[in-house]
Amino acid sequence: MRNIIIRLVDSNRLYKLPITLVTDLVLFAVILFLSYYIRLGEIQSHFVPQILFLLAVYMPIKLAVFWQFKLYKISYRYFSLYELQDVLKASLLSAGLLTLLSVIFRDLPLMEGYPRSV
């Protein structure tokens, strides 16, 4: 398994972007599920459609913001404070957009019981 990962990471740049995008999507999904789990103690069945809806709306926005800040073109081998600022700006902007969307969608029946602390 380790050899496969090393080969993928060391391979052509063509493969690095899809791997990075898939990794980000998985991490975003895990973070959202964990935020519900930490807030509620368990993920009840009536929250699952809400989480899936948020993932469907949030993931493209998060990826678009990260893409706009060119985070997928950064060479992390030469990561500096300027790149760290870009990462922080992109994260704050995407979090702000998620907050804005949660306010916009709060009256949907699907979003009933949405925990604000998530």
Side-chain angles (χ1 to χ4, degrees), residues 26-63:
V26 169
L27 287 175
F28 298 154
V30 168
I31 288 169
L32 186 62
F33 275 99
L34 281 176
S35 66
Y36 269 84
Y37 182 77
I38 289 170
R39 171 64 179 98
L40 302 173
E42 66 178 1
I43 298 178
Q44 300 164 352
S45 61
H46 66 277
F47 284 115
V48 173
Q50 188 178 92
I51 294 170
L52 295 176
F53 173 74
L54 287 173
L55 286 174
V57 171
Y58 184 51
M59 295 252 208
I61 291 173
K62 187 97 165 166
L63 289 179

Short mmCIF file of all heavy atoms in Angstrom, two decimals, residues 26-63:
data_model
loop_
_atom_site.label_atom_id
_atom_site.label_comp_id
_atom_site.label_asym_id
_atom_site.label_seq_id
_atom_site.Cartn_x
_atom_site.Cartn_y
_atom_site.Cartn_z
N VAL A 26 -13.06 14.39 0.40
CA VAL A 26 -13.23 13.43 1.50
C VAL A 26 -13.02 14.13 2.85
O VAL A 26 -13.81 13.94 3.78
CB VAL A 26 -12.26 12.24 1.34
CG1 VAL A 26 -12.22 11.38 2.59
CG2 VAL A 26 -12.65 11.40 0.13
N LEU A 27 -11.99 14.96 2.94
CA LEU A 27 -11.74 15.67 4.19
C LEU A 27 -12.87 16.63 4.55
O LEU A 27 -13.27 16.72 5.71
CB LEU A 27 -10.41 16.42 4.13
CG LEU A 27 -9.16 15.55 4.19
CD1 LEU A 27 -7.91 16.40 3.99
CD2 LEU A 27 -9.09 14.80 5.50
N PHE A 28 -13.41 17.37 3.55
CA PHE A 28 -14.52 18.27 3.81
C PHE A 28 -15.73 17.49 4.33
O PHE A 28 -16.40 17.92 5.26
CB PHE A 28 -14.91 19.04 2.56
CG PHE A 28 -13.83 19.94 2.01
CD1 PHE A 28 -13.82 20.26 0.67
CD2 PHE A 28 -12.85 20.47 2.82
CE1 PHE A 28 -12.84 21.08 0.15
CE2 PHE A 28 -11.85 21.29 2.31
CZ PHE A 28 -11.85 21.60 0.97
N ALA A 29 -16.01 16.34 3.73
CA ALA A 29 -17.15 15.53 4.15
C ALA A 29 -16.95 15.00 5.58
O ALA A 29 -17.86 15.06 6.40
CB ALA A 29 -17.36 14.37 3.19
N VAL A 30 -15.76 14.51 5.86
CA VAL A 30 -15.47 14.00 7.20
C VAL A 30 -15.59 15.11 8.24
O VAL A 30 -16.15 14.91 9.32
CB VAL A 30 -14.07 13.34 7.24
CG1 VAL A 30 -13.62 13.07 8.66
CG2 VAL A 30 -14.06 12.06 6.42
N ILE A 31 -15.10 16.29 7.90
CA ILE A 31 -15.17 17.42 8.83
C ILE A 31 -16.62 17.80 9.13
O ILE A 31 -16.99 18.06 10.27
CB ILE A 31 -14.38 18.62 8.28
CG1 ILE A 31 -12.89 18.33 8.37
CG2 ILE A 31 -14.73 19.90 9.02
CD1 ILE A 31 -12.02 19.31 7.61
N LEU A 32 -17.47 17.80 8.09
CA LEU A 32 -18.88 18.14 8.31
C LEU A 32 -19.57 17.08 9.18
O LEU A 32 -20.28 17.42 10.12
CB LEU A 32 -19.61 18.30 6.99
CG LEU A 32 -21.05 18.79 7.10
CD1 LEU A 32 -21.10 20.18 7.72
CD2 LEU A 32 -21.71 18.80 5.74
N PHE A 33 -19.33 15.80 8.89
CA PHE A 33 -19.91 14.74 9.72
C PHE A 33 -19.41 14.83 11.16
O PHE A 33 -20.18 14.67 12.10
CB PHE A 33 -19.61 13.36 9.13
CG PHE A 33 -20.59 12.93 8.08
CD1 PHE A 33 -20.28 13.06 6.73
CD2 PHE A 33 -21.82 12.41 8.42
CE1 PHE A 33 -21.18 12.67 5.76
CE2 PHE A 33 -22.72 12.01 7.47
CZ PHE A 33 -22.40 12.14 6.13
N LEU A 34 -18.12 15.09 11.33
CA LEU A 34 -17.57 15.21 12.68
C LEU A 34 -18.13 16.40 13.43
O LEU A 34 -18.34 16.33 14.65
CB LEU A 34 -16.04 15.29 12.63
CG LEU A 34 -15.30 13.98 12.44
CD1 LEU A 34 -13.81 14.23 12.32
CD2 LEU A 34 -15.60 13.02 13.57
N SER A 35 -18.38 17.50 12.72
CA SER A 35 -18.94 18.66 13.40
C SER A 35 -20.35 18.36 13.92
O SER A 35 -20.71 18.78 15.02
CB SER A 35 -18.95 19.88 12.49
OG SER A 35 -19.83 19.70 11.41
N TYR A 36 -21.14 17.62 13.14
CA TYR A 36 -22.45 17.21 13.64
C TYR A 36 -22.30 16.25 14.81
O TYR A 36 -23.01 16.35 15.81
CB TYR A 36 -23.25 16.52 12.52
CG TYR A 36 -24.11 17.46 11.72
CD1 TYR A 36 -23.58 18.18 10.65
CD2 TYR A 36 -25.45 17.63 12.00
CE1 TYR A 36 -24.36 19.04 9.91
CE2 TYR A 36 -26.25 18.48 11.27
CZ TYR A 36 -25.69 19.18 10.22
OH TYR A 36 -26.47 20.04 9.49
N TYR A 37 -21.38 15.29 14.68
CA TYR A 37 -21.20 14.29 15.74
C TYR A 37 -20.73 14.94 17.04
O TYR A 37 -21.23 14.62 18.12
CB TYR A 37 -20.21 13.22 15.28
CG TYR A 37 -20.02 12.14 16.30
CD1 TYR A 37 -20.99 11.15 16.45
CD2 TYR A 37 -18.91 12.10 17.12
CE1 TYR A 37 -20.84 10.15 17.39
CE2 TYR A 37 -18.75 11.12 18.07
CZ TYR A 37 -19.72 10.14 18.20
OH TYR A 37 -19.57 9.16 19.13
N ILE A 38 -19.79 15.86 16.95
CA ILE A 38 -19.28 16.52 18.15
C ILE A 38 -20.38 17.38 18.79
O ILE A 38 -20.53 17.41 20.01
CB ILE A 38 -18.04 17.37 17.82
CG1 ILE A 38 -16.87 16.44 17.51
CG2 ILE A 38 -17.68 18.31 18.96
CD1 ILE A 38 -15.66 17.15 16.93
N ARG A 39 -21.16 18.07 17.96
CA ARG A 39 -22.21 18.95 18.49
C ARG A 39 -23.35 18.16 19.12
O ARG A 39 -23.86 18.51 20.17
CB ARG A 39 -22.74 19.84 17.36
CG ARG A 39 -23.96 20.65 17.71
CD ARG A 39 -23.67 21.65 18.82
NE ARG A 39 -24.83 22.43 19.15
CZ ARG A 39 -25.64 22.18 20.17
NH1 ARG A 39 -25.40 21.17 20.96
NH2 ARG A 39 -26.67 22.96 20.40
N LEU A 40 -23.77 17.09 18.43
CA LEU A 40 -24.98 16.37 18.87
C LEU A 40 -24.69 15.11 19.67
O LEU A 40 -25.61 14.55 20.27
CB LEU A 40 -25.83 16.01 17.64
CG LEU A 40 -26.26 17.19 16.77
CD1 LEU A 40 -26.93 16.70 15.51
CD2 LEU A 40 -27.17 18.12 17.55
N GLY A 41 -23.47 14.62 19.65
CA GLY A 41 -23.14 13.38 20.35
C GLY A 41 -23.40 12.15 19.51
O GLY A 41 -22.82 11.11 19.75
N GLU A 42 -24.25 12.27 18.54
CA GLU A 42 -24.53 11.21 17.56
C GLU A 42 -25.21 11.86 16.36
O GLU A 42 -25.74 12.96 16.45
CB GLU A 42 -25.44 10.14 18.14
CG GLU A 42 -26.84 10.63 18.46
CD GLU A 42 -27.73 9.52 18.99
OE1 GLU A 42 -27.28 8.38 19.15
OE2 GLU A 42 -28.90 9.82 19.25
N ILE A 43 -25.14 11.18 15.24
CA ILE A 43 -25.80 11.69 14.04
C ILE A 43 -27.13 10.96 13.90
O ILE A 43 -27.16 9.78 13.56
CB ILE A 43 -24.92 11.52 12.79
CG1 ILE A 43 -23.63 12.30 12.96
CG2 ILE A 43 -25.66 11.98 11.55
CD1 ILE A 43 -22.66 12.16 11.83
N GLN A 44 -28.20 11.66 14.20
CA GLN A 44 -29.53 11.06 14.12
C GLN A 44 -29.96 10.97 12.65
O GLN A 44 -29.51 11.74 11.81
CB GLN A 44 -30.52 11.87 14.94
CG GLN A 44 -30.13 11.93 16.41
CD GLN A 44 -30.84 13.03 17.16
OE1 GLN A 44 -31.52 13.85 16.57
NE2 GLN A 44 -30.66 13.04 18.47
N SER A 45 -30.87 10.06 12.38
CA SER A 45 -31.24 9.78 10.99
C SER A 45 -31.89 10.98 10.29
O SER A 45 -31.75 11.12 9.08
CB SER A 45 -32.18 8.58 10.92
OG SER A 45 -33.36 8.85 11.65
N HIS A 46 -32.58 11.85 11.01
CA HIS A 46 -33.22 12.97 10.34
C HIS A 46 -32.22 14.07 9.97
O HIS A 46 -32.57 14.99 9.23
CB HIS A 46 -34.37 13.54 11.18
CG HIS A 46 -33.96 14.18 12.46
ND1 HIS A 46 -33.73 13.45 13.60
CD2 HIS A 46 -33.73 15.46 12.78
CE1 HIS A 46 -33.38 14.26 14.58
NE2 HIS A 46 -33.37 15.50 14.10
N PHE A 47 -30.97 13.98 10.44
CA PHE A 47 -29.94 14.94 10.05
C PHE A 47 -29.17 14.51 8.81
O PHE A 47 -28.48 15.32 8.20
CB PHE A 47 -28.95 15.18 11.19
CG PHE A 47 -29.49 16.06 12.28
CD1 PHE A 47 -29.68 15.56 13.55
CD2 PHE A 47 -29.80 17.38 12.03
CE1 PHE A 47 -30.18 16.36 14.56
CE2 PHE A 47 -30.30 18.20 13.03
CZ PHE A 47 -30.48 17.69 14.29
N VAL A 48 -29.27 13.24 8.43
CA VAL A 48 -28.50 12.75 7.28
C VAL A 48 -28.88 13.46 5.98
O VAL A 48 -27.99 13.90 5.24
CB VAL A 48 -28.62 11.21 7.17
CG1 VAL A 48 -27.97 10.71 5.88
CG2 VAL A 48 -28.00 10.54 8.38
N PRO A 49 -30.18 13.63 5.64
CA PRO A 49 -30.49 14.39 4.41
C PRO A 49 -29.98 15.83 4.47
O PRO A 49 -29.54 16.38 3.46
CB PRO A 49 -32.02 14.36 4.33
CG PRO A 49 -32.44 13.25 5.19
CD PRO A 49 -31.39 13.10 6.24
N GLN A 50 -30.01 16.42 5.64
CA GLN A 50 -29.51 17.78 5.82
C GLN A 50 -28.01 17.83 5.55
O GLN A 50 -27.52 18.74 4.86
CB GLN A 50 -29.81 18.23 7.25
CG GLN A 50 -29.53 19.67 7.53
CD GLN A 50 -29.91 19.99 8.96
OE1 GLN A 50 -29.05 19.90 9.84
NE2 GLN A 50 -31.15 20.35 9.21
N ILE A 51 -27.28 16.86 6.06
CA ILE A 51 -25.84 16.80 5.85
C ILE A 51 -25.53 16.59 4.37
O ILE A 51 -24.64 17.25 3.80
CB ILE A 51 -25.20 15.70 6.71
CG1 ILE A 51 -25.33 16.04 8.19
CG2 ILE A 51 -23.74 15.50 6.35
CD1 ILE A 51 -24.95 14.91 9.13
N LEU A 52 -26.26 15.70 3.73
CA LEU A 52 -26.03 15.45 2.30
C LEU A 52 -26.34 16.68 1.46
O LEU A 52 -25.63 16.98 0.49
CB LEU A 52 -26.85 14.25 1.84
CG LEU A 52 -26.47 12.91 2.48
CD1 LEU A 52 -27.41 11.81 2.02
CD2 LEU A 52 -25.02 12.56 2.17
N PHE A 53 -27.39 17.41 1.83
CA PHE A 53 -27.71 18.65 1.13
C PHE A 53 -26.59 19.67 1.30
O PHE A 53 -26.16 20.32 0.34
CB PHE A 53 -29.03 19.22 1.65
CG PHE A 53 -29.36 20.59 1.12
CD1 PHE A 53 -29.78 20.75 -0.19
CD2 PHE A 53 -29.23 21.71 1.92
CE1 PHE A 53 -30.08 22.01 -0.69
CE2 PHE A 53 -29.52 22.97 1.45
CZ PHE A 53 -29.94 23.12 0.13
N LEU A 54 -26.10 19.81 2.53
CA LEU A 54 -25.01 20.75 2.78
C LEU A 54 -23.75 20.36 2.02
O LEU A 54 -23.04 21.21 1.49
CB LEU A 54 -24.72 20.84 4.28
CG LEU A 54 -25.74 21.59 5.10
CD1 LEU A 54 -25.42 21.47 6.58
CD2 LEU A 54 -25.79 23.05 4.70
N LEU A 55 -23.48 19.07 1.96
CA LEU A 55 -22.32 18.61 1.19
C LEU A 55 -22.47 18.94 -0.29
O LEU A 55 -21.51 19.37 -0.94
CB LEU A 55 -22.10 17.12 1.39
CG LEU A 55 -21.52 16.68 2.72
CD1 LEU A 55 -21.50 15.16 2.81
CD2 LEU A 55 -20.13 17.25 2.91
N ALA A 56 -23.67 18.74 -0.83
CA ALA A 56 -23.91 19.01 -2.25
C ALA A 56 -23.77 20.49 -2.57
O ALA A 56 -23.35 20.86 -3.67
CB ALA A 56 -25.29 18.51 -2.64
N VAL A 57 -24.09 21.34 -1.62
CA VAL A 57 -23.99 22.79 -1.85
C VAL A 57 -22.59 23.29 -1.49
O VAL A 57 -22.01 24.11 -2.19
CB VAL A 57 -25.06 23.53 -1.01
CG1 VAL A 57 -24.85 25.02 -1.05
CG2 VAL A 57 -26.44 23.17 -1.50
N TYR A 58 -22.05 22.77 -0.41
CA TYR A 58 -20.82 23.31 0.14
C TYR A 58 -19.57 22.88 -0.62
O TYR A 58 -18.64 23.67 -0.80
CB TYR A 58 -20.73 22.89 1.61
CG TYR A 58 -19.57 23.46 2.36
CD1 TYR A 58 -19.30 24.82 2.35
CD2 TYR A 58 -18.73 22.65 3.12
CE1 TYR A 58 -18.25 25.35 3.06
CE2 TYR A 58 -17.68 23.17 3.83
CZ TYR A 58 -17.44 24.51 3.80
OH TYR A 58 -16.40 25.03 4.49
N MET A 59 -19.53 21.63 -1.04
CA MET A 59 -18.32 21.12 -1.70
C MET A 59 -17.95 21.88 -2.96
O MET A 59 -16.79 22.27 -3.10
CB MET A 59 -18.48 19.63 -2.01
CG MET A 59 -18.60 18.81 -0.79
SD MET A 59 -17.14 17.87 -0.54
CE MET A 59 -17.80 16.49 0.32
N PRO A 60 -18.88 22.12 -3.88
CA PRO A 60 -18.48 22.89 -5.08
C PRO A 60 -18.03 24.31 -4.75
O PRO A 60 -17.08 24.82 -5.36
CB PRO A 60 -19.75 22.92 -5.93
CG PRO A 60 -20.60 21.83 -5.43
CD PRO A 60 -20.24 21.63 -3.99
N ILE A 61 -18.66 24.92 -3.75
CA ILE A 61 -18.26 26.27 -3.37
C ILE A 61 -16.86 26.26 -2.76
O ILE A 61 -16.01 27.09 -3.09
CB ILE A 61 -19.28 26.88 -2.39
CG1 ILE A 61 -20.59 27.15 -3.14
CG2 ILE A 61 -18.76 28.14 -1.75
CD1 ILE A 61 -21.72 27.58 -2.26
N LYS A 62 -16.62 25.31 -1.89
CA LYS A 62 -15.30 25.21 -1.25
C LYS A 62 -14.21 24.96 -2.29
O LYS A 62 -13.17 25.61 -2.27
CB LYS A 62 -15.33 24.07 -0.22
CG LYS A 62 -14.11 23.97 0.61
CD LYS A 62 -14.30 24.66 1.91
CE LYS A 62 -13.23 24.24 2.88
NZ LYS A 62 -13.19 25.12 4.03
N LEU A 63 -14.47 24.04 -3.22
CA LEU A 63 -13.47 23.77 -4.26
C LEU A 63 -13.28 24.97 -5.17
O LEU A 63 -12.15 25.28 -5.57
CB LEU A 63 -13.89 22.55 -5.07
CG LEU A 63 -13.78 21.21 -4.36
CD1 LEU A 63 -14.25 20.09 -5.27
CD2 LEU A 63 -12.37 20.94 -3.88
#
